[in-house]
Amino acid sequence: MKNKFSITKKHQIMSLIVATYVPEGIIVAGDSRLTLSWTEKDPATNIEKVFSITASDTNTKVFVLKEKFGLAAFGAADIKRIPIAGYINQFIEEKITDTTEIDSIPQFLHEFFGDTLGKPNMYLYLAGYKVENKVSIPYVYYLDINKATTARLNEHNGEVTFGANWGGESEVMTRLLSEIKIQQGANLVDLKPPGIPFNFFTLQDAIDFSNYAVRTTIETFKFQQRIKTVGGPIDIIAITPDKIAWIKKKELNGN
């Protein structure tokens, strides 16, 4: 019997990636969920329904480049049915050497994932240090591969800034840290959130904040009536001027 529905499938890693940049270093964190979603359209009614399942909770989204730089991805999970992780590992092998500087990598990424690979709907956080005038300067980039754009997140008017940025399923954290209105009698009163002093954070504070952001999103999604696109183990890397280290990393096991 012929299926009367037309089906469109896509793999997504619309999870949550968090970059926290403080005076002592940079933290990049992400979850591990791979979501398979598709739409089924009934040609008789032209009505579309969206379906979604968790395809994996061991997807790799956070990467280390040559033990110097950090990279994290969300958005499209595959290109031509090959996982994004495979392409990123290929990119590292082909494009990154021991002498590669952080500020040259965004262009390499846009070229690698450009016209040949179709400029997928893929977003990247890239972080690391570059020695300038004998001083290690932190760089944190956000790349939109499809639109071929790059933004440096931790610089304003020539000065290094500190803070946090997250991409993917950002609604939970945005709600928690945004101004809201509350009812007081007959009036709605603005309630401003207390500021977060990222410039006073230690590296451990940055690790705790990044873990909190991803974990809180996972736990919130667990109880809400919504597609569970954030989940699985949380991977975290810490980048400082002299080294890069895994703080949390899922491991293969035979259990």
Side-chain angles (χ1 to χ4, degrees), residues 186-222:
N187 300 318
L188 286 174
V189 178
D190 292 332
L191 181 63
K192 296 183 182 296
I196 299 177
F198 289 105
N199 55 311
F200 290 108
F201 270 26
T202 65
L203 195 62
Q204 185 62 58
D205 292 332
I207 293 168
D208 294 343
F209 178 85
S210 301
N211 188 63
Y212 151 80
V214 182
R215 176 58 57 195
T216 299
T217 300
I218 291 173
E219 296 300 325
T220 301
F221 276 25
K222 182 187 297 184

mmCIF file of all heavy atoms in Angstrom, residues 186-222:
data_model
loop_
_atom_site.group_PDB
_atom_site.id
_atom_site.type_symbol
_atom_site.label_atom_id
_atom_site.label_comp_id
_atom_site.label_asym_id
_atom_site.label_seq_id
_atom_site.Cartn_x
_atom_site.Cartn_y
_atom_site.Cartn_z
ATOM 1 N N ALA A 186 -2.948 46.198 40.862
ATOM 2 C CA ALA A 186 -3.498 46.381 39.506
ATOM 3 C C ALA A 186 -2.410 46.739 38.499
ATOM 4 O O ALA A 186 -2.714 46.949 37.323
ATOM 5 C CB ALA A 186 -4.566 47.474 39.535
ATOM 6 N N ASN A 187 -1.151 46.797 38.946
ATOM 7 C CA ASN A 187 -0.077 47.277 38.080
ATOM 8 C C ASN A 187 0.907 46.164 37.718
ATOM 9 O O ASN A 187 1.101 45.207 38.478
ATOM 10 C CB ASN A 187 0.697 48.411 38.767
ATOM 11 C CG ASN A 187 -0.196 49.590 39.080
ATOM 12 O OD1 ASN A 187 -1.028 49.976 38.266
ATOM 13 N ND2 ASN A 187 -0.028 50.158 40.273
ATOM 14 N N LEU A 188 1.520 46.323 36.557
ATOM 15 C CA LEU A 188 2.635 45.473 36.161
ATOM 16 C C LEU A 188 3.929 46.240 36.426
ATOM 17 O O LEU A 188 4.117 47.356 35.956
ATOM 18 C CB LEU A 188 2.541 45.108 34.683
ATOM 19 C CG LEU A 188 1.478 44.078 34.298
ATOM 20 C CD1 LEU A 188 1.409 43.916 32.784
ATOM 21 C CD2 LEU A 188 1.776 42.723 34.942
ATOM 22 N N VAL A 189 4.808 45.621 37.202
ATOM 23 C CA VAL A 189 6.040 46.281 37.620
ATOM 24 C C VAL A 189 7.235 45.553 37.015
ATOM 25 O O VAL A 189 7.300 44.319 37.028
ATOM 26 C CB VAL A 189 6.157 46.293 39.163
ATOM 27 C CG1 VAL A 189 7.465 46.934 39.602
ATOM 28 C CG2 VAL A 189 4.965 47.014 39.771
ATOM 29 N N ASP A 190 8.175 46.345 36.459
ATOM 30 C CA ASP A 190 9.391 45.754 35.903
ATOM 31 C C ASP A 190 10.257 45.167 37.005
ATOM 32 O O ASP A 190 10.475 45.798 38.046
ATOM 33 C CB ASP A 190 10.198 46.805 35.138
ATOM 34 C CG ASP A 190 9.500 47.257 33.869
ATOM 35 O OD1 ASP A 190 8.731 46.455 33.303
ATOM 36 O OD2 ASP A 190 9.719 48.407 33.439
ATOM 37 N N LEU A 191 10.738 43.950 36.769
ATOM 38 C CA LEU A 191 11.651 43.303 37.705
ATOM 39 C C LEU A 191 12.944 43.024 36.959
ATOM 40 O O LEU A 191 13.015 42.157 36.096
ATOM 41 C CB LEU A 191 11.051 41.997 38.237
ATOM 42 C CG LEU A 191 11.911 41.228 39.246
ATOM 43 C CD1 LEU A 191 12.136 42.064 40.508
ATOM 44 C CD2 LEU A 191 11.251 39.896 39.601
ATOM 45 N N LYS A 192 13.955 43.812 37.275
ATOM 46 C CA LYS A 192 15.237 43.667 36.585
ATOM 47 C C LYS A 192 16.066 42.573 37.248
ATOM 48 O O LYS A 192 16.126 42.485 38.485
ATOM 49 C CB LYS A 192 16.003 44.994 36.617
ATOM 50 C CG LYS A 192 15.314 46.122 35.862
ATOM 51 C CD LYS A 192 16.168 47.375 35.872
ATOM 52 C CE LYS A 192 15.463 48.514 35.152
ATOM 53 N NZ LYS A 192 15.271 48.191 33.722
ATOM 54 N N PRO A 193 16.721 41.724 36.458
ATOM 55 C CA PRO A 193 17.548 40.667 37.045
ATOM 56 C C PRO A 193 18.831 41.251 37.629
ATOM 57 O O PRO A 193 19.384 42.210 37.089
ATOM 58 C CB PRO A 193 17.852 39.769 35.847
ATOM 59 C CG PRO A 193 17.828 40.703 34.681
ATOM 60 C CD PRO A 193 16.753 41.711 34.984
ATOM 61 N N PRO A 194 19.311 40.699 38.725
ATOM 62 C CA PRO A 194 20.615 41.133 39.239
ATOM 63 C C PRO A 194 21.700 40.829 38.213
ATOM 64 O O PRO A 194 21.634 39.836 37.489
ATOM 65 C CB PRO A 194 20.803 40.284 40.503
ATOM 66 C CG PRO A 194 19.427 39.817 40.861
ATOM 67 C CD PRO A 194 18.688 39.671 39.581
ATOM 68 N N GLY A 195 22.689 41.688 38.131
ATOM 69 C CA GLY A 195 23.764 41.467 37.176
ATOM 70 C C GLY A 195 24.657 40.296 37.586
ATOM 71 O O GLY A 195 24.668 39.883 38.756
ATOM 72 N N ILE A 196 25.376 39.762 36.640
ATOM 73 C CA ILE A 196 26.336 38.689 36.906
ATOM 74 C C ILE A 196 27.733 39.265 36.672
ATOM 75 O O ILE A 196 28.054 39.687 35.556
ATOM 76 C CB ILE A 196 26.095 37.478 35.982
ATOM 77 C CG1 ILE A 196 24.697 36.910 36.221
ATOM 78 C CG2 ILE A 196 27.153 36.408 36.223
ATOM 79 C CD1 ILE A 196 24.335 35.751 35.307
ATOM 80 N N PRO A 197 28.578 39.302 37.689
ATOM 81 C CA PRO A 197 29.892 39.953 37.565
ATOM 82 C C PRO A 197 30.930 39.039 36.911
ATOM 83 O O PRO A 197 31.875 38.567 37.558
ATOM 84 C CB PRO A 197 30.251 40.260 39.019
ATOM 85 C CG PRO A 197 29.600 39.150 39.795
ATOM 86 C CD PRO A 197 28.325 38.828 39.064
ATOM 87 N N PHE A 198 30.789 38.803 35.612
ATOM 88 C CA PHE A 198 31.698 37.891 34.927
ATOM 89 C C PHE A 198 33.157 38.341 35.031
ATOM 90 O O PHE A 198 34.071 37.507 35.017
ATOM 91 C CB PHE A 198 31.306 37.773 33.448
ATOM 92 C CG PHE A 198 30.027 37.015 33.214
ATOM 93 C CD1 PHE A 198 28.866 37.676 32.876
ATOM 94 C CD2 PHE A 198 29.991 35.638 33.341
ATOM 95 C CE1 PHE A 198 27.684 36.977 32.650
ATOM 96 C CE2 PHE A 198 28.816 34.927 33.120
ATOM 97 C CZ PHE A 198 27.652 35.597 32.768
ATOM 98 N N ASN A 199 33.391 39.638 35.119
ATOM 99 C CA ASN A 199 34.774 40.118 35.196
ATOM 100 C C ASN A 199 35.458 39.737 36.507
ATOM 101 O O ASN A 199 36.680 39.789 36.614
ATOM 102 C CB ASN A 199 34.831 41.635 35.009
ATOM 103 C CG ASN A 199 33.952 42.371 35.982
ATOM 104 O OD1 ASN A 199 32.780 42.024 36.147
ATOM 105 N ND2 ASN A 199 34.482 43.396 36.626
ATOM 106 N N PHE A 200 34.671 39.298 37.512
ATOM 107 C CA PHE A 200 35.240 38.835 38.780
ATOM 108 C C PHE A 200 35.225 37.312 38.891
ATOM 109 O O PHE A 200 35.657 36.765 39.914
ATOM 110 C CB PHE A 200 34.500 39.454 39.967
ATOM 111 C CG PHE A 200 34.750 40.931 40.132
ATOM 112 C CD1 PHE A 200 33.757 41.852 39.844
ATOM 113 C CD2 PHE A 200 35.984 41.398 40.557
ATOM 114 C CE1 PHE A 200 33.979 43.217 39.988
ATOM 115 C CE2 PHE A 200 36.220 42.757 40.702
ATOM 116 C CZ PHE A 200 35.218 43.673 40.408
ATOM 117 N N PHE A 201 34.712 36.629 37.888
ATOM 118 C CA PHE A 201 34.658 35.172 37.929
ATOM 119 C C PHE A 201 36.063 34.584 37.909
ATOM 120 O O PHE A 201 36.942 35.035 37.171
ATOM 121 C CB PHE A 201 33.918 34.633 36.694
ATOM 122 C CG PHE A 201 32.435 34.476 36.878
ATOM 123 C CD1 PHE A 201 31.722 35.232 37.789
ATOM 124 C CD2 PHE A 201 31.727 33.560 36.106
ATOM 125 C CE1 PHE A 201 30.355 35.098 37.928
ATOM 126 C CE2 PHE A 201 30.365 33.406 36.239
ATOM 127 C CZ PHE A 201 29.669 34.167 37.148
ATOM 128 N N THR A 202 36.255 33.535 38.715
ATOM 129 C CA THR A 202 37.433 32.684 38.551
ATOM 130 C C THR A 202 37.138 31.677 37.443
ATOM 131 O O THR A 202 36.000 31.575 36.953
ATOM 132 C CB THR A 202 37.744 31.928 39.843
ATOM 133 O OG1 THR A 202 36.657 31.020 40.127
ATOM 134 C CG2 THR A 202 37.918 32.895 41.020
ATOM 135 N N LEU A 203 38.139 30.923 37.068
ATOM 136 C CA LEU A 203 37.917 29.895 36.051
ATOM 137 C C LEU A 203 36.917 28.858 36.555
ATOM 138 O O LEU A 203 36.071 28.371 35.785
ATOM 139 C CB LEU A 203 39.241 29.225 35.677
ATOM 140 C CG LEU A 203 39.234 28.404 34.392
ATOM 141 C CD1 LEU A 203 38.912 29.270 33.184
ATOM 142 C CD2 LEU A 203 40.581 27.709 34.198
ATOM 143 N N GLN A 204 36.988 28.527 37.838
ATOM 144 C CA GLN A 204 36.023 27.571 38.407
ATOM 145 C C GLN A 204 34.608 28.133 38.367
ATOM 146 O O GLN A 204 33.644 27.400 38.094
ATOM 147 C CB GLN A 204 36.399 27.213 39.843
ATOM 148 C CG GLN A 204 35.504 26.142 40.456
ATOM 149 C CD GLN A 204 35.580 24.824 39.722
ATOM 150 O OE1 GLN A 204 36.657 24.239 39.582
ATOM 151 N NE2 GLN A 204 34.444 24.337 39.224
ATOM 152 N N ASP A 205 34.457 29.419 38.632
ATOM 153 C CA ASP A 205 33.137 30.043 38.523
ATOM 154 C C ASP A 205 32.588 29.911 37.101
ATOM 155 O O ASP A 205 31.397 29.637 36.895
ATOM 156 C CB ASP A 205 33.209 31.530 38.884
ATOM 157 C CG ASP A 205 33.516 31.781 40.345
ATOM 158 O OD1 ASP A 205 33.159 30.922 41.188
ATOM 159 O OD2 ASP A 205 34.099 32.834 40.649
ATOM 160 N N ALA A 206 33.463 30.100 36.119
ATOM 161 C CA ALA A 206 33.042 30.000 34.720
ATOM 162 C C ALA A 206 32.627 28.563 34.381
ATOM 163 O O ALA A 206 31.664 28.339 33.638
ATOM 164 C CB ALA A 206 34.159 30.467 33.796
ATOM 165 N N ILE A 207 33.363 27.595 34.907
ATOM 166 C CA ILE A 207 32.990 26.190 34.714
ATOM 167 C C ILE A 207 31.620 25.929 35.330
ATOM 168 O O ILE A 207 30.741 25.316 34.706
ATOM 169 C CB ILE A 207 34.044 25.259 35.340
ATOM 170 C CG1 ILE A 207 35.364 25.359 34.582
ATOM 171 C CG2 ILE A 207 33.550 23.815 35.377
ATOM 172 C CD1 ILE A 207 36.536 24.696 35.284
ATOM 173 N N ASP A 208 31.431 26.403 36.566
ATOM 174 C CA ASP A 208 30.154 26.187 37.260
ATOM 175 C C ASP A 208 29.003 26.835 36.515
ATOM 176 O O ASP A 208 27.909 26.249 36.399
ATOM 177 C CB ASP A 208 30.235 26.731 38.687
ATOM 178 C CG ASP A 208 31.213 25.967 39.570
ATOM 179 O OD1 ASP A 208 31.584 24.831 39.189
ATOM 180 O OD2 ASP A 208 31.611 26.494 40.619
ATOM 181 N N PHE A 209 29.213 28.047 35.998
ATOM 182 C CA PHE A 209 28.148 28.741 35.279
ATOM 183 C C PHE A 209 27.795 27.994 33.991
ATOM 184 O O PHE A 209 26.609 27.814 33.673
ATOM 185 C CB PHE A 209 28.563 30.178 34.946
ATOM 186 C CG PHE A 209 27.520 30.925 34.160
ATOM 187 C CD1 PHE A 209 26.473 31.578 34.812
ATOM 188 C CD2 PHE A 209 27.559 30.962 32.775
ATOM 189 C CE1 PHE A 209 25.492 32.248 34.091
ATOM 190 C CE2 PHE A 209 26.590 31.630 32.043
ATOM 191 C CZ PHE A 209 25.551 32.276 32.707
ATOM 192 N N SER A 210 28.792 27.564 33.245
ATOM 193 C CA SER A 210 28.547 26.864 31.987
ATOM 194 C C SER A 210 27.805 25.556 32.227
ATOM 195 O O SER A 210 26.853 25.212 31.501
ATOM 196 C CB SER A 210 29.872 26.596 31.270
ATOM 197 O OG SER A 210 30.564 27.796 31.011
ATOM 198 N N ASN A 211 28.236 24.820 33.245
ATOM 199 C CA ASN A 211 27.562 23.576 33.594
ATOM 200 C C ASN A 211 26.124 23.846 34.036
ATOM 201 O O ASN A 211 25.196 23.125 33.645
ATOM 202 C CB ASN A 211 28.338 22.865 34.696
ATOM 203 C CG ASN A 211 27.808 21.473 34.966
ATOM 204 O OD1 ASN A 211 27.839 20.593 34.103
ATOM 205 N ND2 ASN A 211 27.309 21.258 36.174
ATOM 206 N N TYR A 212 25.944 24.887 34.834
ATOM 207 C CA TYR A 212 24.605 25.285 35.302
ATOM 208 C C TYR A 212 23.689 25.609 34.127
ATOM 209 O O TYR A 212 22.519 25.196 34.090
ATOM 210 C CB TYR A 212 24.734 26.495 36.222
ATOM 211 C CG TYR A 212 23.554 27.431 36.248
ATOM 212 C CD1 TYR A 212 22.423 27.143 37.007
ATOM 213 C CD2 TYR A 212 23.573 28.621 35.511
ATOM 214 C CE1 TYR A 212 21.337 28.017 37.023
ATOM 215 C CE2 TYR A 212 22.501 29.485 35.519
ATOM 216 C CZ TYR A 212 21.386 29.180 36.276
ATOM 217 O OH TYR A 212 20.313 30.038 36.277
ATOM 218 N N ALA A 213 24.194 26.337 33.138
ATOM 219 C CA ALA A 213 23.358 26.750 32.010
ATOM 220 C C ALA A 213 22.853 25.544 31.229
ATOM 221 O O ALA A 213 21.660 25.455 30.893
ATOM 222 C CB ALA A 213 24.155 27.682 31.097
ATOM 223 N N VAL A 214 23.745 24.604 30.943
ATOM 224 C CA VAL A 214 23.318 23.426 30.181
ATOM 225 C C VAL A 214 22.459 22.515 31.034
ATOM 226 O O VAL A 214 21.403 22.034 30.595
ATOM 227 C CB VAL A 214 24.546 22.658 29.635
ATOM 228 C CG1 VAL A 214 24.087 21.456 28.800
ATOM 229 C CG2 VAL A 214 25.421 23.574 28.795
ATOM 230 N N ARG A 215 22.866 22.276 32.285
ATOM 231 C CA ARG A 215 22.101 21.383 33.165
ATOM 232 C C ARG A 215 20.714 21.928 33.443
ATOM 233 O O ARG A 215 19.722 21.182 33.433
ATOM 234 C CB ARG A 215 22.880 21.185 34.477
ATOM 235 C CG ARG A 215 22.154 20.344 35.537
ATOM 236 C CD ARG A 215 21.798 18.974 35.049
ATOM 237 N NE ARG A 215 22.967 18.246 34.591
ATOM 238 C CZ ARG A 215 22.915 17.135 33.852
ATOM 239 N NH1 ARG A 215 21.740 16.665 33.457
ATOM 240 N NH2 ARG A 215 24.022 16.537 33.477
ATOM 241 N N THR A 216 20.599 23.228 33.673
ATOM 242 C CA THR A 216 19.293 23.827 33.944
ATOM 243 C C THR A 216 18.364 23.693 32.746
ATOM 244 O O THR A 216 17.160 23.420 32.883
ATOM 245 C CB THR A 216 19.435 25.313 34.325
ATOM 246 O OG1 THR A 216 20.231 25.411 35.514
ATOM 247 C CG2 THR A 216 18.086 25.959 34.577
ATOM 248 N N THR A 217 18.912 23.863 31.554
ATOM 249 C CA THR A 217 18.104 23.696 30.345
ATOM 250 C C THR A 217 17.633 22.252 30.207
ATOM 251 O O THR A 217 16.460 21.990 29.899
ATOM 252 C CB THR A 217 18.901 24.121 29.105
ATOM 253 O OG1 THR A 217 19.274 25.497 29.235
ATOM 254 C CG2 THR A 217 18.076 23.949 27.837
ATOM 255 N N ILE A 218 18.523 21.297 30.449
ATOM 256 C CA ILE A 218 18.147 19.882 30.376
ATOM 257 C C ILE A 218 17.031 19.572 31.371
ATOM 258 O O ILE A 218 16.018 18.938 31.020
ATOM 259 C CB ILE A 218 19.367 18.983 30.649
ATOM 260 C CG1 ILE A 218 20.376 19.086 29.505
ATOM 261 C CG2 ILE A 218 18.937 17.528 30.854
ATOM 262 C CD1 ILE A 218 21.685 18.362 29.772
ATOM 263 N N GLU A 219 17.197 20.020 32.615
ATOM 264 C CA GLU A 219 16.205 19.709 33.648
ATOM 265 C C GLU A 219 14.876 20.413 33.388
ATOM 266 O O GLU A 219 13.810 19.875 33.682
ATOM 267 C CB GLU A 219 16.751 20.101 35.030
ATOM 268 C CG GLU A 219 17.975 19.312 35.465
ATOM 269 C CD GLU A 219 17.697 17.821 35.555
ATOM 270 O OE1 GLU A 219 16.574 17.437 35.940
ATOM 271 O OE2 GLU A 219 18.599 17.035 35.228
ATOM 272 N N THR A 220 14.915 21.625 32.848
ATOM 273 C CA THR A 220 13.681 22.344 32.529
ATOM 274 C C THR A 220 12.925 21.639 31.411
ATOM 275 O O THR A 220 11.706 21.436 31.488
ATOM 276 C CB THR A 220 13.988 23.793 32.125
ATOM 277 O OG1 THR A 220 14.668 24.442 33.199
ATOM 278 C CG2 THR A 220 12.707 24.560 31.812
ATOM 279 N N PHE A 221 13.643 21.255 30.360
ATOM 280 C CA PHE A 221 13.011 20.551 29.244
ATOM 281 C C PHE A 221 12.382 19.239 29.695
ATOM 282 O O PHE A 221 11.375 18.794 29.142
ATOM 283 C CB PHE A 221 14.046 20.275 28.150
ATOM 284 C CG PHE A 221 14.271 21.419 27.205
ATOM 285 C CD1 PHE A 221 14.026 22.724 27.587
ATOM 286 C CD2 PHE A 221 14.749 21.190 25.923
ATOM 287 C CE1 PHE A 221 14.238 23.781 26.719
ATOM 288 C CE2 PHE A 221 14.963 22.233 25.037
ATOM 289 C CZ PHE A 221 14.702 23.534 25.441
ATOM 290 N N LYS A 222 12.998 18.601 30.706
ATOM 291 C CA LYS A 222 12.502 17.311 31.174
ATOM 292 C C LYS A 222 11.043 17.387 31.630
ATOM 293 O O LYS A 222 10.259 16.461 31.416
ATOM 294 C CB LYS A 222 13.375 16.814 32.335
ATOM 295 C CG LYS A 222 12.983 15.442 32.869
ATOM 296 C CD LYS A 222 13.770 15.095 34.116
ATOM 297 C CE LYS A 222 15.258 14.993 33.831
ATOM 298 N NZ LYS A 222 16.013 14.563 35.025
#
